[in-house]
Amino acid sequence: MTDQRLNRRSFLRKTALAGGASAGVLAAPAVLAQAPLVLKMQTSWGASNIWQEFAQDYADRVEAMSGGRLKVDVLPAGAVVAAFQVMDAVHDGVLDAAHTVCAYWYGKSKAASLFGTGPVFGASSPAMLGWFYEGGGAELYRELTQDQLGLNVVGFLGFPMFAQPFGWFKGEVNTVADLQGFKYRTVGLAADLLQSMGMSVAQLPGGEIVPAMERGVIDAFEFNNPSSDKDFGAQDVAKNYYLSSYHQASEQFEFLFNKDFYDDLEPDLQAILKYGVEASATANTNKAMRRYSADLKWLQEEAGVTVRRTPSEILDGQIKAWSAILPELETDPMFKRITDSQRAWAEQVAFYELMNAPDYALAYEHFFPGKLSL
């Protein structure tokens, strides 16, 4: 497929030269008119998921910044391949690009999950996105994907997600003992973590979660956020929603590009694809703040969902479980190089972040008394 792919840079260059040779014959607008270069990007999200909108936010910015020279055709999960198969499809050139998360190719290397769904060393999701771009994470990602796994991809991370809720349960859970035996949906290293805490884990794409709950394949689950959960119909199969968790507290979107396709672009178009990720991260964050909070309010007030913070005993159990499973995982040298890098970054950056941050909860409680006592 790579051999058959049109050399787009050569095509664009030849088109421009042909246009120049004809300038004395054709009017300028006709000479300069050029069909956009279309990228076929599939996501790992359903068409109605808010994350599909987030992918479109990226596409809109790329098209605008390129003056229409680039157009991203955003397709939902299943349009070409299944949600968990986008990495392979981009590697093979079946897709030009994908909008996904690293945990979805965790089966190739558990180290993949460290780029978003790994242990929490005390740094926030924005801080860990900083590690990717300023702390050596991007080079480690390149080594893992290209050098170690031989994947023909270029990837960037964007949108530092809010910490993911522990999720949806049919009844209350208050202690680690209450979790024993639950059939629970999650992905990536969170599966290793929660299995070590006594849960039985199924790794399912988002669109399969509620049907699995209805069939009894699982009896508790998490996905990511109130808006996606609402759109899935989570409130129809469970009424207890636990916010805050250490199982996936610092994830980001992964933007994948076929390396042959990316390398063949002019440098300015490469830059637009790369820095468009940063632009969409701001847009996604702003939209998430508005939509996630509004949908959480709807779940409480209209859908009869009881919203709680995950009990401190379970949170403490998660931290201890991370410490317990890391030594075996770190027998993989690449895995350990990444976690060593993340630890060093978190120790420095989270110290500043935590020491500098005022107690926002104290201020919130002052102006909106009683609302946080869930």
Side-chain angles (χ1 to χ4, degrees):
M1 179 167 292
T2 300
D3 294 338
Q4 296 173 353
R5 186 181 291 109
L6 177 66
N7 185 318
R8 303 185 193 217
R9 178 179 296 173
S10 299
F11 172 78
L12 293 174
R13 186 181 297 113
K14 289 173 183 176
T15 301
L17 291 172
S22 306
V25 180
L26 299 176
V31 173
L32 296 176
Q34 179 176 289
L37 183 59
V38 179
L39 288 76
K40 184 165 61 177
M41 170 185 271
Q42 187 193 296
T43 75
S44 293
W45 332 121
S48 63
N49 194 309
I50 188 173
W51 284 3
Q52 193 71 7
E53 292 183 41
F54 288 173
Q56 189 61 50
D57 288 341
Y58 172 75
D60 293 343
R61 280 153 181 77
V62 165
E63 185 169 358
M65 288 188 290
S66 68
R69 293 163 63 203
L70 284 176
K71 181 176 176 59
V72 183
D73 184 15
V74 181
L75 306 170
V80 180
V81 295
F84 284 5
Q85 301 304 314
V86 292
M87 171 61 89
D88 288 335
V90 173
H91 165 74
D92 291 335
V94 174
L95 294 170
D96 298 317
H99 186 273
T100 186
V101 290
C102 298
Y104 283 6
W105 50 277
Y106 158 90
K108 297 182 184 300
S109 170
K110 289 193 175 185
S113 194
L114 293 172
F115 296 93
T117 54
V120 179
F121 298 120
S124 67
S125 186
M128 293 313 296
L129 184 58
W131 165 78
F132 185 80
Y133 288 106
E134 295 288 337
E139 175 57 21
L140 288 166
Y141 173 93
R142 189 204 62 75
E143 286 187 41
L144 176 65
T145 54
Q146 296 180 10
D147 297 347
Q148 187 170 103
L149 297 176
L151 295 168
N152 189 37
V153 299
V154 173
F156 308 104
L157 298 189
F159 178 44
M161 299 179 190
F162 301 96
Q164 297 180 29
F166 192 36
W168 295 83
F169 295 79
K170 293 180 179 179
E172 281 191 52
V173 290
N174 294 300
T175 68
V176 173
D178 293 339
L179 305 179
Q180 305 307 299
F182 268 109
K183 295 176 289 184
Y184 181 84
R185 180 272 176 193
T186 191
V187 293
L189 283 170
D192 298 63
L193 176 78
L194 296 170
Q195 282 172 347
S196 76
M197 295 179 69
M199 302 178 95
S200 173
V201 175
Q203 301 203 41
L204 302 171
E208 297 179 18
I209 295 173
V210 167
M213 191 84 163
E214 291 172 334
R215 297 195 309 270
V217 175
I218 57 174
D219 47 31
F221 65 91
E222 61 82 30
F223 178 72
N224 185 276
N225 65 81
S227 297
S228 295
D229 293 349
K230 171 181 174 287
D231 291 343
F232 288 149
Q235 66 277 4
D236 298 328
V237 293
K239 292 296 185 183
N240 293 275
Y241 192 27
Y242 286 88
L243 302 184
S244 80
S245 180
Y246 290 119
H247 76 288
Q248 290 177 314
S250 57
E251 190 168 23
Q252 296 87 31
F253 283 141
E254 180 183 37
F255 292 75
L256 287 171
F257 301 92
N258 176 271
K259 190 173 185 299
D260 294 334
F261 175 89
Y262 185 85
D263 289 347
D264 197 43
L265 293 173
E266 296 293 346
D268 66 322
L269 296 184
Q270 291 180 354
I272 288 169
L273 290 181
K274 178 179 179 179
Y275 296 117
V277 173
E278 293 182 2
S280 68
T282 300
N284 293 168
T285 299
N286 296 340
K287 182 178 288 186
M289 285 183 175
R290 176 175 61 85
R291 293 277 293 278
Y292 289 6
S293 61
D295 286 332
L296 181 65
K297 188 172 186 289
W298 183 90
L299 288 168
Q300 288 180 278
E301 297 180 359
E302 303 296 329
V305 172
T306 300
V307 176
R308 301 182 176 92
R309 281 183 60 81
T310 300
S312 57
E313 181 182 322
I314 293 176
L315 294 174
D316 184 60
Q318 290 177 340
I319 296 172
K320 291 175 179 175
W322 275 122
S323 290
I325 67 173
L326 276 172
E328 181 177 351
L329 291 166
E330 289 179 334
T331 58
D332 174 355
M334 187 67 187
F335 193 103
K336 190 171 191 312
R337 284 182 62 206
I338 297 170
T339 52
D340 283 349
S341 177
Q342 290 180 332
R343 277 190 186 91
W345 176 265
E347 183 177 10
Q348 174 181 312
V349 173
F351 176 80
Y352 165 73
E353 189 176 40
L354 294 168
M355 287 292 286
N356 188 58
D359 187 343
Y360 290 106
L362 183 65
Y364 188 91
E365 180 63 25
H366 174 80
F367 288 103
F368 311 105
K371 290 202 71 174
L372 291 178
S373 57
L374 299 176

